[in-house]
């Protein structure tokens, strides 16, 4: 799933860059936490292998899952902080459901991939 996460980061990054260039900087800033979960997944394997070599009591799959979950938590906290940029309550709800749902579902898929890679 590394290639898929890199593609997600590239596509969202291009989208944010194009939005910022067209003058929609608020949209660009509000949408930037979408990059956190795939970036956390990309960093999870090197971090988990580094901690695995430093402490042999901890295996790498739970650490990689934990790093991915920390990325989800950070992204959701940022969504909550950034939803104040929307003028109406309905817009805030739609933003939180769309971005939070995307990050949650992506995290579930990535964790299932980590579990399959580690234990199958």
């Amino acid at each position: 799933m590394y290639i898929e996460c890199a593609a997600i980061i590239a596509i969202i990054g291009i989208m944010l860059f194009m939005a910022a260039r067209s003058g929609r900087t608020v949209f660009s800033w509000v949408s930037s936490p979408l990059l956190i979960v795939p970036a956390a997944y990309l960093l999870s394997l090197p971090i988990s292998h580094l901690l695995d070599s430093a402490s042999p009591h901890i295996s790498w799959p739970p650490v990689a899952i934990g790093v991915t979950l920390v990325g989800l938590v950070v992204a959701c906290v940022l969504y909550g902080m950034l939803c104040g940029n929307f003028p109406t309550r309905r817009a805030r709800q739609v933003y939180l459901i769309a971005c939070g749902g995307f990050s949650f579902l992506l995290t579930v898929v990535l964790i299932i991939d980590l579990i399959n890679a580690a234990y199958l």
Side-chain angles (χ1 to χ4, degrees):
M1 294 292 289
Y2 280 98
I3 295 172
E4 290 84 355
C5 283
I8 290 170
I9 289 173
I11 290 170
I12 293 174
I14 290 169
M15 179 187 73
L16 296 177
F17 177 75
M18 296 303 290
R21 292 273 304 181
S22 67
R24 300 178 64 200
T25 56
V26 173
F27 171 78
S28 183
W29 280 109
V30 170
S31 300
S32 62
L34 290 171
L35 298 169
I36 293 174
V37 172
Y41 179 79
L42 290 177
L43 293 175
S44 68
L45 197 60
I47 290 172
S48 63
H49 284 298
L50 180 69
L51 290 176
D52 187 32
S53 64
S55 175
H57 303 295
I58 302 171
S59 62
W60 71 269
V63 175
I65 291 171
V67 170
T68 306
L69 287 175
V70 166
L72 174 66
V73 169
V74 169
C76 287
V77 167
L78 286 174
Y79 295 143
M81 291 171 55
L82 292 172
C83 74
N85 291 326
F86 293 99
T88 64
R89 182 175 180 227
R90 176 97 172 136
R92 284 190 285 268
Q93 289 176 344
V94 169
Y95 167 74
L96 289 174
I97 290 171
C99 292
F102 171 78
S103 294
F104 175 75
L105 291 175
L106 182 61
T107 303
V108 168
V109 169
L110 295 174
I111 288 174
I112 288 171
D113 180 64
L114 284 171
I115 291 171
N116 287 337
Y119 299 112
L120 292 182

